[in-house]
Amino acid sequence: MDRAQDPENAVIFKQFEEACSDFQVPATRAAAEQILTQFRQIPKVLPACQYILEHTSSPMVQFQVALAIGDISVREYTLYDKNDLLRLKNYMIEFCIQREGLAKYVRDQLVLAVALITKRSLFEVSNEDRDAILLSVKQLLQMDADNAQVLALALANGLADQFSNTKSTTIGLTWEHHHNCKLFFENNILLPLFEMVITKLHELVSQVQHLPDNIPPILVEMLVLIEKILHWEFETTNATPVLPGTFAKEADLDEFDREDGPSSVKKTYVIFPKHWQPVIGSSEVLWLFFMTYRLVQDEDVLGHRCRQCLIQLAGFQQDFFNDSAEMIQSYATAMIHGIRKMISDVTAFGTSPDALGEQGPQMLGTIQMIRRLLENVSLANLCAIPDFFQFLNEVGMITVSCLGGTVTDVDEGWLSEACDECLQTWVKMVEVIQPSDPRGSDPKTGLTIDKVQHLTQYMTNVAYQIVDAYINTRLERSKMVLEDEEEEDEIDAGFKDWDTFGDQLTCIGILARLNPQPCLIRLQQLLSERFEAFKAFFTASNNGNEQDMILIHEQLHWIILIAAYILADTGKGEQPMIPESLLQLSGSQPYEQDQVVNLSQLFLELLRFSSSFSSNSVEASNCSPRVAETLIWFMERWSKSYLLLDENEYGYMSPNIARAFGRPGPSDGQGMQIIVFFIEQMKTNFILWNADPDVLYQLVQWLHSCGTSNNLKRGLLQSAHFPELVQFITQNLGQLPEVVHNSLVQTIATICSSAVDEETKSNYFGLMFKMIEDRLGSILHRPDFQQCYQQGEVVNNVINALEMFDGLALACQYNNTNIIVSFSSRFFESFVQLMNVYKTVPEVQLSILLLFSDLCNRLDFGLLSNEEKQMLYHTIIEIIKVYGATNQGKKRLHSQEEEEDKPYADISTILVMLSNIMSSGTEDFSRKGQGHSDVADVVLFGINIIIPMIDLEMLKIPSLCQQYIQLISHLIELFPDKLSGLPAPLFNNLMASLEYGIRHDIPDVNILTLQAIAPLTIWAYHQQLQGITIDFLKEAFQKFLQELLNCLLFQHLDTNIIDAASDALLALICIQRDVYMMLANQIISQQSMEIQSRLLNAFQKLDNATPPQGTPLNRNNSKFKEALLAFLMDVRAVLRVK
């Protein structure tokens, strides 16, 4: 630069050098940092930067000045002559070439500055200069000097970072500039750059047999660059284009930039532009990567980078090759050949858990490649490859080895992750042979009958081998529990194996159903052996030790789990069907030898035997609560599919299963006898395990499933023994832990509500009501209640009684609303009294609030009389009044609340309750009458009390914020006319909350807010048309419009909010056009001259879609919505800056 030799620069240089020296000393770092920052603010300081760079030999000074050059050259770009900047760019490259010993971090910072100047000037230079970007890299790469070649790759890395979505530096340019730069780079530079680098890689790899101890820097730079290119997010193939102005967030960063570790690869396919296919899809290039991997696999970082490249290359879909069978098979052959070599290397030191554990990252990467290949290439193409079945054999061997490795590797590390990937891969193969959903295209298309039979036979054998290996793994793992305290701790911590290992077990279930006969034989044999060994402990001659018993329990637990996943599906939300292959197997066997029936009956017998002891007996101490819990979980899962099944739901039904477990009808099913057996077992287990909440919770879950499955509910209610169960529970509830009372009351009430006649239903509820009333009465009617009400035991009893009432509230539905309300309302006055009595006990207050919140949520208000509604509303007002008097002005520690499971649970519950009341009232709003004003009065009263308690700190808690905004959103939407009567502080608080909601970073909160603003503004607009003044809202509307325009034009925008934003913006524009015009003109005038006309044009198009002044407004104006989307696509691209 012209002023680079200015004498003043020597003075600046001395100060700069001193500051860099001070920067490295902690005591003087802050002051030095300030000097370095001030240096960058000196006008036109780039010549001084060049002077410093020329005259210093200190790496720290070189680094800091390179940092300054990058920052200043883009920030003050317009102050400099472009030719000067281009000369500076060339100078920095020359500087790096001439200094071989330059520190890597200095060089990288200098090439980053070069990349920044290149990007900033991209569209202001000639075509020749743009072509020179690639040419300069090429020329450097062709030089003989090693450091020039390394510099070429470092420069290419810097360019790739700056022109990408995710790693580009913040340089104060519009989204459109960043986007156009990226498009230019990927369309003109990326592919030739890739070809250039792999040519260089080929030269290096073909000359080197072993990686030297001193790794060549050129190889490191090449692999870093290639990995970036292979992970490039192409705009041209992006299936979900982003809204212009949307910059990538930190969470969207490429996987290769994250720490190496399990679960780092999630997507199992990759999409490149088609014109890349001849390069990255060619066998020669693929083989180059496998050769490179052989060279670097033992070096952690380079090995990882190369694996990430190979994983990407294994994910091409068939249309990338234009569905050409020849090209696809050539690609798959190369991949299979390379992967087999990788498998061979991974297993070179054996397949023991220790040997494989040493190869963890290599193992996982290899399996991720296998999964991608098998998921993206059709079996018709794969089966045409001669080595394919040999390849599958090796994958099977790796799978079994991984399973064996998980006996010791249970920390969700490499082998566990690899094991999961293997199982998912085989499940994908099973889907071809035995599709779970027969709709859609047949995955066997293109395979001959012979190949289908061969593949089916092959997969059938593999499926059993994997299931068998998994069973062996779990049995071996069971032995570890005897010596592993951590495993015991995990069991005690409440982690359920059916959740922790759910994905694995689901895969095992699917594989077993492909070849169920040997799998069920193995399970039956194991269950019989362990059951006999278990029973032997109860014989007089038994001398078994406790360790043997623990092992049998642990192995029984896993046998039950695995069998459950094979025999039945979870069926959440729907009726789970018996798997087709099990029906076919069952139907092909004589009744006495039916494996499905016999195994199921053996589990029923295990339940009967293990429940046949009294709770305090010596025998009961030999039973395991964990096995009991798992067995009851099994019964819940199994019974939903098998018990009292409806034969009409099946195309084919095994006569054996229908007879053993079906209905009493044509198949003479024995299902009702099993229902009787289940009722007896429930009663027995409630007593046997009355001190173990986990088992009891599982029992309640089982009972709940019986109440939600139509087949089981009908069976229970038809059984002559069900009244005994209701009576048993109501009489013995006091003996069970309080933690299950609420859910047990809810479950029983739900089932009883479907009783066949009103008298029976009334009798069932009578038993429950008596139990709950006795429980509450036993506390409130104590003569000494006033003296002992604050004792811990009494408080717990009060909470327990309230939780029983809450159980009833949670059971409310159309067929029991009247009976539950008529009972509960008798105690409304008592609940208000309890709120008063327990002013200083927040736990009791919360229980009462929860009870009324659940009542308002579950009650069918349409079935209540006006008097019942009045009583409910009056009680809620009284309860909130007491709550307000107790808690107003109370100081709470925000940090303490944040650590709670439910922060600010009381406030949250009131917000939900008021929302529930509003939802309940909406059905009455069409009928103008008493009901309408009651709801409004209750809600406004509640809001008046609760909103002053909520501050901005609390609204940072997402769940609380959503509940709060939802409440005021509904309030304003339903009762806009009530706002004018609110006290000024409350009104201002509501409006400030909406303003806060517009700019909140949770999209759901934005949507709720805008859904409140739109109807409020439309209501006010129509009031205005009728000549009614709405001055009290004007200031709020102006703030809403300003905030909304700011969010739409200048902030990160989630596209899900555009519909709600469109309704709100249109209404806000229409009600204050003058304010809108002022804001629009302000936005336009604040921008540079070159984009002002574009903005003006965009605003005019939006104005054309806005209805004329005086036109009545409706929500969902599709014309305006389309215009707004087009407007945002146009203007956000130039208004959003990074």
Side-chain angles (χ1 to χ4, degrees):
M1 286 196 152
D2 295 342
R3 288 175 48 242
Q5 304 309 319
D6 191 322
E8 280 184 29
N9 290 341
V11 180
I12 295 173
F13 168 43
K14 193 168 185 310
Q15 292 172 341
F16 192 86
E17 202 166 35
E18 284 172 7
C20 289
S21 178
D22 291 347
F23 185 76
Q24 296 175 77
V25 179
T28 53
R29 178 168 295 159
E33 196 166 5
Q34 197 172 359
I35 293 168
L36 293 172
T37 305
Q38 286 167 353
F39 169 79
R40 297 184 197 183
Q41 310 308 318
I42 299 171
K44 302 200 78 171
V45 78
L46 278 182
C49 292
Q50 188 173 330
Y51 178 90
I52 295 169
L53 201 54
E54 277 177 14
H55 290 82
T56 186
S57 57
S58 160
M60 175 51 76
V61 177
Q62 290 169 340
F63 174 77
Q64 289 292 349
V65 81
L67 205 61
I69 290 171
D71 175 41
I72 296 160
S73 56
V74 291
R75 185 163 41 81
E76 298 183 356
Y77 176 79
T78 52
L79 302 179
Y80 293 94
D81 184 274
K82 289 176 192 58
N83 292 325
D84 280 349
L85 288 172
L86 291 176
R87 278 194 289 273
L88 176 63
K89 192 171 82 166
N90 294 333
Y91 168 77
M92 287 188 286
I93 292 173
E94 198 59 41
F95 180 87
C96 292
I97 294 172
Q98 288 171 0
R99 288 163 178 77
E100 275 193 46
L102 195 64
K104 181 180 184 301
Y105 66 93
V106 174
R107 182 204 68 204
D108 286 349
Q109 198 57 50
L110 285 166
V111 296
L112 176 64
V114 170
L116 283 170
I117 295 171
T118 304
K119 182 175 180 178
R120 178 64 184 84
S121 60
L122 187 69
F123 300 112
E124 297 176 23
V125 296
S126 64
N127 289 336
E128 290 78 12
D129 284 330
R130 279 195 286 273
D131 293 341
I133 298 170
L134 188 64
L135 192 61
S136 61
V137 175
K138 188 176 183 180
Q139 287 169 346
L140 286 167
L141 208 52
Q142 287 171 342
M143 287 185 182
D144 291 334
D146 287 349
N147 72 318
Q149 295 179 14
V150 173
L151 176 63
L153 295 162
L155 176 58
N157 267 308
L159 290 165
D161 283 343
Q162 290 310 313
F163 282 83
S164 72
N165 267 355
T166 47
K167 298 191 80 176
S168 56
T169 306
T170 301
I171 55 175
L173 287 174
T174 66
W175 178 90
E176 190 168 71
H177 185 95
H178 285 282
H179 180 73
N180 289 339
C181 285
K182 185 186 176 194
L183 277 177
F184 168 81
F185 194 79
E186 75 179 51
N187 290 334
N188 299 284
I189 293 180
L190 209 57
L191 181 55
L193 180 62
F194 180 74
E195 290 176 303
M196 205 186 293
V197 180
I198 57 171
T199 304
K200 193 71 188 171
L201 180 66
H202 182 263
E203 278 176 32
L204 190 146
V205 170
S206 56
Q207 292 167 9
V208 180
Q209 293 302 310
H210 302 287
L211 196 63
D213 292 340
N214 199 3
I215 298 167
I218 190 166
L219 180 60
V220 176
E221 293 290 342
M222 274 194 282
L223 286 178
V224 170
L225 178 58
I226 290 168
E227 188 185 13
K228 283 174 188 169
I229 294 173
L230 289 178
H231 286 82
W232 187 271
E233 293 174 358
F234 287 90
E235 294 296 327
T236 45
T237 61
N238 188 359
T240 53
V242 294
L243 185 71
T246 305
F247 293 105
K249 286 186 164 181
E250 202 61 38
D252 305 328
L253 287 177
D254 297 7
E255 287 292 355
F256 67 80
D257 201 43
R258 299 245 178 91
E259 189 180 336
D260 184 7
S263 305
S264 62
V265 176
K266 289 299 178 195
K267 221 165 57 170
T268 57
Y269 62 88
V270 62
I271 302 174
F272 277 79
K274 290 275 181 74
H275 67 274
W276 281 64
Q277 187 276 320
V279 181
I280 56 173
S282 76
S283 304
E284 292 79 10
V285 169
L286 294 174
W287 200 240
L288 170 63
F289 278 95
F290 283 114
M291 285 168 61
T292 307
Y293 181 65
R294 285 209 68 192
L295 196 63
V296 301
Q297 61 183 333
D298 295 327
E299 212 285 321
D300 286 352
V301 176
L302 292 187
H304 166 69
R305 291 198 181 282
C306 201
R307 270 195 307 278
Q308 295 307 304
C309 294
L310 283 166
I311 288 166
Q312 284 293 91
L313 294 168
F316 296 135
Q317 296 176 308
Q318 297 200 146
D319 66 346
F320 182 59
F321 301 95
N322 296 315
D323 291 309
S324 157
E326 186 184 344
M327 289 163 73
I328 295 164
Q329 286 167 26
S330 168
Y331 158 72
T333 303
M335 289 306 302
I336 284 173
H337 188 45
I339 292 170
R340 287 185 67 191
K341 186 72 193 75
M342 289 173 74
I343 292 174
S344 163
D345 290 344
V346 166
T347 55
F349 299 101
T351 55
S352 69
D354 289 342
L356 291 179
E358 288 292 315
Q359 299 283 315
Q362 293 88 326
M363 166 81 85
L364 179 59
T366 305
I367 288 164
Q368 285 170 334
M369 290 171 65
I370 293 166
R371 181 177 176 186
R372 284 174 155 226
L373 183 69
L374 294 180
E375 284 196 15
N376 290 304
V377 179
S378 71
L379 278 172
N381 282 316
L382 290 169
C383 286
I385 297 167
D387 288 351
F388 178 58
F389 284 97
Q390 183 56 39
F391 170 64
L392 284 185
N393 284 342
E394 290 166 14
V395 178
M397 178 270 293
I398 278 275
T399 306
V400 171
S401 302
C402 279
L403 284 167
T406 59
V407 170
T408 52
D409 178 37
V410 288
D411 59 346
E412 284 304 307
W414 299 107
L415 289 186
S416 294
E417 186 80 14
C419 186
D420 290 347
E421 290 274 344
C422 283
L423 293 176
Q424 295 286 354
T425 304
W426 287 113
V427 165
K428 193 79 180 171
M429 299 278 287
V430 172
E431 278 289 307
V432 176
I433 310 298
Q434 192 173 279
S436 56
D437 186 352
R439 295 169 296 187
S441 59
D442 185 355
K444 294 192 282 290
T445 304
L447 288 171
T448 63
I449 294 171
D450 286 350
K451 280 189 176 166
V452 171
Q453 287 176 342
H454 181 204
L455 191 62
T456 304
Q457 185 57 48
Y458 180 86
M459 283 301 300
T460 303
N461 293 335
V462 168
Y464 174 63
Q465 287 171 16
I466 293 171
V467 173
D468 190 50
Y470 188 79
I471 292 170
N472 292 336
T473 298
R474 295 324 313 180
L475 295 179
E476 278 300 307
R477 179 70 206 150
S478 299
K479 294 174 185 173
M480 306 283 288
V481 174
L482 301 178
E483 58 226 30
D484 192 341
E485 288 178 16
E486 279 185 28
E487 180 85 6
E488 284 290 353
D489 292 343
E490 197 168 287
I491 293 166
D492 294 340
F495 297 108
K496 305 303 177 195
D497 284 337
W498 50 82
D499 295 325
T500 307
F501 297 94
D503 291 343
Q504 274 185 15
L505 288 162
T506 300
C507 291
I508 293 301
I510 291 168
L511 289 167
R513 290 171 194 174
L514 185 62
N515 188 8
Q517 188 170 2
C519 298
L520 295 186
I521 287 172
R522 179 85 207 276
L523 282 172
Q524 174 108 20
Q525 180 190 0
L526 285 170
L527 181 59
S528 299
E529 287 172 7
R530 299 307 186 275
F531 190 5
E532 288 305 315
F534 178 53
K535 285 195 279 192
F537 273 86
F538 298 90
T539 59
S541 60
N542 175 59
N543 296 316
N545 64 36
E546 188 186 348
Q547 295 290 81
D548 291 344
M549 176 62 92
I550 292 171
L551 178 60
I552 288 170
H553 285 155
E554 186 63 19
Q555 292 187 337
L556 276 172
H557 162 77
W558 277 102
I559 293 165
I560 297 164
L561 268 179
I562 294 167
Y565 272 87
I566 295 172
L567 291 173
D569 292 317
T570 53
K572 284 180 181 169
E574 56 186 28
Q575 171 64 41
M577 308 294 278
I578 300 171
E580 178 66 26
S581 63
L582 298 186
L583 289 173
Q584 296 294 340
L585 175 67
S586 168
S588 68
Q589 296 173 329
Y591 184 78
E592 293 74 19
Q593 293 161 18
D594 186 315
Q595 289 174 270
V596 178
V597 170
N598 287 343
L599 185 59
S600 299
Q601 287 177 335
L602 192 52
F603 281 117
L604 294 172
E605 176 56 24
L606 176 60
L607 176 65
R608 187 203 61 74
F609 178 80
S610 57
S611 310
S612 58
F613 314 108
S614 65
S615 57
N616 297 319
S617 64
V618 176
E619 290 87 353
S621 64
N622 282 334
C623 294
S624 156
R626 188 157 183 243
V627 172
E629 185 186 0
T630 309
L631 197 50
I632 291 161
W633 169 85
F634 171 94
M635 292 302 155
E636 181 206 348
R637 184 182 177 108
W638 175 88
S639 59
K640 284 190 287 190
S641 293
Y642 287 81
L643 197 51
L644 299 173
L645 54 94
D646 184 351
E647 294 180 45
N648 296 324
E649 292 178 346
Y650 293 85
Y652 169 77
M653 170 48 63
S654 157
N656 297 344
I657 289 176
R659 179 179 154 195
F661 312 119
R663 299 175 180 185
S667 299
D668 195 22
Q670 306 296 301
M672 285 306 290
Q673 283 95 307
I674 296 174
I675 287 284
V676 174
F677 169 73
F678 277 177
I679 289 171
E680 285 306 310
Q681 291 308 310
M682 284 178 183
K683 286 156 58 179
T684 305
N685 279 278
F686 269 123
I687 296 301
L688 180 58
W689 300 107
N690 66 0
D692 196 299
D694 282 349
V695 183
L696 294 175
Y697 174 75
Q698 206 53 57
L699 272 167
V700 175
Q701 281 291 101
W702 183 19
L703 194 54
H704 178 72
S705 285
C706 292
T708 51
S709 160
N710 288 332
N711 295 343
L712 297 175
K713 182 162 64 177
R714 201 178 300 116
L716 274 179
L717 291 168
Q718 286 172 358
S719 170
H721 294 259
F722 181 65
E724 295 171 23
L725 180 64
V726 179
Q727 200 159 11
F728 169 84
I729 288 172
T730 52
Q731 286 173 354
N732 291 282
L733 196 67
Q735 294 180 41
L736 303 178
E738 293 171 355
V739 70
V740 299
H741 290 187
N742 175 294
S743 49
L744 198 48
V745 168
Q746 180 191 351
T747 299
I748 289 291
T750 303
I751 297 172
C752 294
S753 299
S754 300
V756 281
D757 60 78
E758 285 302 315
E759 187 184 347
T760 309
K761 185 200 293 189
S762 189
N763 289 340
Y764 289 151
F765 273 100
L767 288 169
M768 278 186 287
F769 292 162
K770 182 178 185 310
M771 169 188 73
I772 294 170
E773 187 171 1
D774 288 351
R775 182 71 170 151
L776 186 62
S778 68
I779 307 158
L780 299 186
H781 298 149
R782 281 179 63 158
D784 60 345
F785 180 70
Q786 286 301 326
Q787 289 76 46
C788 68
Y789 73 92
Q790 286 196 312
Q791 289 176 8
E793 186 186 351
V794 176
V795 171
N796 285 340
N797 288 339
V798 168
I799 291 172
N800 177 234
L802 290 168
E803 283 178 344
M804 289 188 190
F805 275 100
D806 189 47
L808 280 181
L810 290 166
C812 278
Q813 54 193 41
Y814 72 94
N815 57 6
N816 63 20
T817 284
N818 295 113
I819 194 169
I820 288 177
V821 169
S822 65
F823 170 70
S824 301
S825 59
R826 287 167 36 205
F827 301 90
F828 282 179
E829 207 173 310
S830 301
F831 298 148
V832 176
Q833 288 170 358
L834 283 171
M835 278 295 281
N836 269 305
V837 168
Y838 286 104
K839 281 179 180 175
T840 57
V841 186
E843 294 82 2
V844 174
Q845 293 205 331
L846 179 59
S847 294
I848 295 169
L849 293 171
L850 273 172
L851 164 57
F852 279 91
S853 178
D854 288 332
L855 264 177
C856 295
N857 185 31
R858 299 299 183 103
L859 282 177
D860 187 337
F861 276 75
L863 299 175
L864 297 183
S865 67
N866 212 37
E867 291 74 28
E868 285 172 323
K869 285 182 200 170
Q870 290 291 329
M871 185 192 289
L872 178 62
Y873 295 150
H874 172 73
T875 307
I876 289 171
I877 284 176
E878 289 302 310
I879 282 170
I880 293 176
K881 194 184 289 179
V882 177
Y883 173 83
T886 311
N887 293 279
Q888 210 81 51
K890 193 164 147 188
K891 293 286 177 205
R892 296 165 75 154
L893 275 177
H894 184 70
S895 55
Q896 237 174 29
E897 288 285 348
E898 270 191 315
E899 288 172 13
E900 297 289 329
D901 287 342
K902 291 182 179 173
Y904 300 101
D906 49 350
I907 289 175
S908 171
T909 303
I910 293 176
L911 293 173
V912 172
M913 175 166 67
L914 295 173
S915 284
N916 288 341
I917 292 169
M918 266 193 291
S919 301
S920 72
T922 50
E923 65 209 28
D924 296 332
F925 293 168
S926 54
R927 304 188 291 275
K928 296 293 180 192
Q930 195 64 33
H932 189 139
S933 61
D934 283 338
V935 172
D937 293 344
V938 176
V939 173
L940 288 170
F941 179 83
I943 278 178
N944 217 343
I945 288 192
I946 201 72
I947 283 187
M949 296 184 186
I950 299 172
D951 58 33
L952 280 179
E953 202 61 34
M954 290 161 68
L955 291 181
K956 288 177 184 173
I957 298 168
S959 58
L960 191 69
C961 184
Q962 279 178 271
Q963 290 159 352
Y964 173 70
I965 295 288
Q966 186 165 24
L967 174 62
I968 60 175
S969 170
H970 287 166
L971 169 76
I972 289 166
E973 192 172 351
L974 296 174
F975 311 118
D977 53 319
K978 298 277 182 183
L979 293 178
S980 58
L982 293 179
L986 179 59
F987 173 78
N988 293 335
N989 212 327
L990 282 179
M991 296 301 108
S993 302
L994 289 177
E995 194 183 340
Y996 174 76
I998 296 173
R999 63 175 177 269
H1000 202 279
D1001 54 5
I1002 298 175
D1004 286 350
V1005 171
N1006 306 143
I1007 291 167
L1008 285 167
T1009 304
L1010 295 166
Q1011 284 173 344
I1013 289 172
L1016 172 64
T1017 316
I1018 291 170
W1019 170 82
Y1021 176 73
H1022 290 146
Q1023 295 287 300
Q1024 214 175 43
L1025 289 183
Q1026 294 165 31
I1028 301 167
T1029 179
I1030 47 102
D1031 288 350
F1032 71 102
L1033 285 167
K1034 278 188 175 174
E1035 187 185 344
F1037 284 157
Q1038 184 168 340
K1039 286 180 179 173
F1040 296 161
L1041 181 58
Q1042 199 165 352
E1043 197 63 64
L1044 184 53
L1045 282 172
N1046 177 49
C1047 288
L1048 289 172
L1049 298 181
F1050 298 103
Q1051 306 305 320
H1052 177 79
L1053 185 65
D1054 189 301
T1055 49
N1056 292 320
I1057 77 163
I1058 288 177
D1059 280 4
S1062 167
D1063 292 340
L1065 182 63
L1066 177 59
L1068 288 167
I1069 289 172
C1070 289
I1071 201 165
Q1072 44 187 348
R1073 286 178 194 260
D1074 52 341
V1075 175
Y1076 166 68
M1077 293 305 291
M1078 178 194 76
L1079 292 171
N1081 287 326
Q1082 212 174 65
I1083 290 166
I1084 295 167
S1085 64
Q1086 285 167 352
Q1087 306 309 313
S1088 59
M1089 290 301 292
E1090 61 261 30
I1091 63 169
Q1092 282 190 8
S1093 58
R1094 177 170 167 178
L1095 290 176
L1096 188 61
N1097 188 36
F1099 272 108
Q1100 281 170 351
K1101 284 181 182 172
L1102 190 63
D1103 292 345
N1104 293 339
T1106 309
Q1109 186 76 39
T1111 312
L1113 279 182
N1114 291 309
R1115 289 166 83 168
N1116 298 318
N1117 183 319
S1118 56
K1119 181 186 172 188
F1120 183 79
K1121 194 175 296 175
E1122 283 172 25
L1124 175 62
L1125 192 56
F1127 171 76
L1128 294 176
M1129 301 271 291
D1130 187 12
V1131 303
R1132 274 175 63 83
V1134 292
L1135 291 179
R1136 288 273 285 152
V1137 167
K1138 177 182 174 184

